[in-house]
Structure formats: C-alpha cells, structure tokens
Amino acid sequence: MSAAQKGLPRRPGLFVTFEGPEGAGKSTQIRLLAARLEAGGVAHLLTREPGGTLIGDRLRELVLDSRSRLEAMTEFLIYSASRAQLVHEVIRPALERGQVVVCDRYVDSSYAYQGHGRGLDTAQLRAVSEAATVGLLPQLTVLLDLDPALGLSRAARVNTPDRIEAAGLAFHGRVRQGFLALATAEPGRFLLLDAALQEDALAGRIWEAVQARLPTG
Ligand code: TYD
C-alpha cells in the first residue's frame, strides 16, 4: 500500500539506504555520497543502524556485544526496536523537512541476517518490520556485494570481530545470498554493485542513481 493510500502526507525528501556484507566499503561510499550532496548544496542527514538515537546506541551495544547470549528472535527484536526509534525520531522528521536521508543499513539487513542468516520466518519478520517502520521503505537501496571471506578478513584488519562478525563463514554466505535475493525481487529499488570495483567508479554509479531520484523544485 502506498503512502497516499495509507493517508500519510507525501514525503518530499529522499530516503537512501546502504546494505551489504561486512567489509564491503559502505562507510567509504556513504562518505563520498555525502561529499557530493554537500558540494551540490543538497540538505541531507547521515544515520546508521543499529543506533542513531540515544536508545538505539544503547541497543547497539547490547546486540553487538560478544558476551550477549541472544535468541535469534531477541536479536531481531532489538534491531527492530532500534529501527522503530530511528524512524520516528530521526528519519521521518528529516524526510518531512525535505532532506535526503542516507542510512547505513535498514530493514533489508534484518531480512538478510536474521531471515536468511539465522533462519527466522520471513513473513513474521516482514510483519514486525512494517509495524516498526510504519511501512516506510527507501526509494533507493545501494547493495555493495562482496565475497564474505574477503569482507570478513577486511573487517578483521580494522577491529576485533563483534558478535555478528564472529558468526562464521557459512552464516555470512547465507546473508550474502539473502541480499542478492532481495535485490532480484525488487530491481526498481535496489542498485546492485560489485564492491570489488574501484572506489571512484562505485561513487559515480551511486551518484547517478541518487541524482535521478532527487526531488525537483
Ligand atoms: P556495524 O559495526 O554497524 O557493521 P557494518 O559496518 O558492517 O554495518 O554492525 C552492525 C552489525 O549488525 C552488522 O554485522 C550487521 C548486523 N545487523 C543485523 O544483523 N541485522 C540488522 O537488522 C542490522 C541493521 C544490522
């Protein structure tokens, strides 16, 4: 159901999310996109999941702490709680102000990690996610695809693995396949890119896709 059908005001901003396995270079590409938005004088806001709010940052610590013993459903509900707060406190207000919102991970991470990775029921994840986000979906999702073995070794060079990074190669292989399946199912929303491409080439493709969706006027 569209926003108009639900009786919500039409949002003038643009909502862009970045997704992908560990070590795919999302942070670098988000930084490059922000620099182009800045240079073009486009009002924007960067945020991330889990986190981005006071309560979200506390939930982030809990869910990533390698000492936490979490059931898969508990893990999903913590991500969803952080997301609900972020949508209400940060994302929706920024979109209503007409800003471009760039979010590092969003619902697709839950579908890939907790759905495909942990094996939770997709229909249940979708129902809870829709409730948590009031049905708010990005107009563009950039998926940086990478072999998980490569991504995990890249990530491990930067810091010690958190609870999710430590989940094993088979798990991360399922996550990658999950992301690819999501991109195939929604080709209009997803921009699928090979994360092994050169940084500048990736940034160019992402900027083209964002520009094509920027609100006019
Ligand atoms: P983070 O340090 O932000 O990793 P990255 O730089 O790879 O985004 O940690 C977030 C971790 O949480 C990451 O391993 C992906 C995972 N995650 C989920 O499992 N489900 C979710 O819904 C979200 C948002 C993240």
Side-chain angles (χ1 to χ4, degrees), residues 137-177:
L137 273 179
Q139 285 104 319
L140 173 66
T141 297
V142 178
L143 173 56
L144 296 176
D145 175 55
L146 188 68
D147 177 345
L150 195 63
L152 286 172
S153 68
R154 267 194 200 175
R157 260 181 266 136
V158 184
N159 42 35
T160 44
D162 61 37
R163 207 177 56 82
I164 302 285
E165 281 163 350
L169 202 52
F171 170 83
H172 287 281
R174 291 195 299 277
V175 170
R176 181 197 197 181
Q177 293 311 320

Side-chain angles (χ1 to χ4, degrees), residues 19-24 26-27 48-50 60 63-64 75-76 79-80 83 104-114 118 155 159 162-165 171-172:
E19 298 282 4
E22 319 295 321
K26 287 183 287 101
S27 319
R48 70 162 178 186
E49 282 203 3
R60 177 186 174 88
V63 81
L64 294 182
E75 179 180 284
F76 166 66
Y79 283 115
S80 298
R83 182 167 304 133
D104 188 344
R105 298 195 183 280
Y106 191 61
V107 283
D108 299 297
S109 275
S110 283
Y111 300 150
Y113 284 84
Q114 281 67 53
R118 301 283 193 218
N159 42 35
D162 61 37
R163 207 177 56 82
I164 302 285
E165 281 163 350
F171 170 83
H172 287 281

Side-chain angles (χ1 to χ4, degrees), residues 4 15 28 34-35 45 66 68 71-72 81 95 97 112 119-120 126 151 168 192 195-196 206:
F15 185 22
T28 304
L45 183 145
S66 34
S68 296
E71 288 297 318
L95 291 173
R97 289 193 299 271
L120 290 181
R126 289 203 179 259
L192 169 61
I206 293 168

Side-chain angles (χ1 to χ4, degrees), residues 190-210:
F190 276 87
L191 172 67
L192 169 61
L193 295 171
D194 178 353
L197 289 175
Q198 289 230 319
E199 241 171 62
D200 289 355
L202 288 171
R205 295 282 307 278
I206 293 168
W207 181 232
E208 258 172 42
V210 169

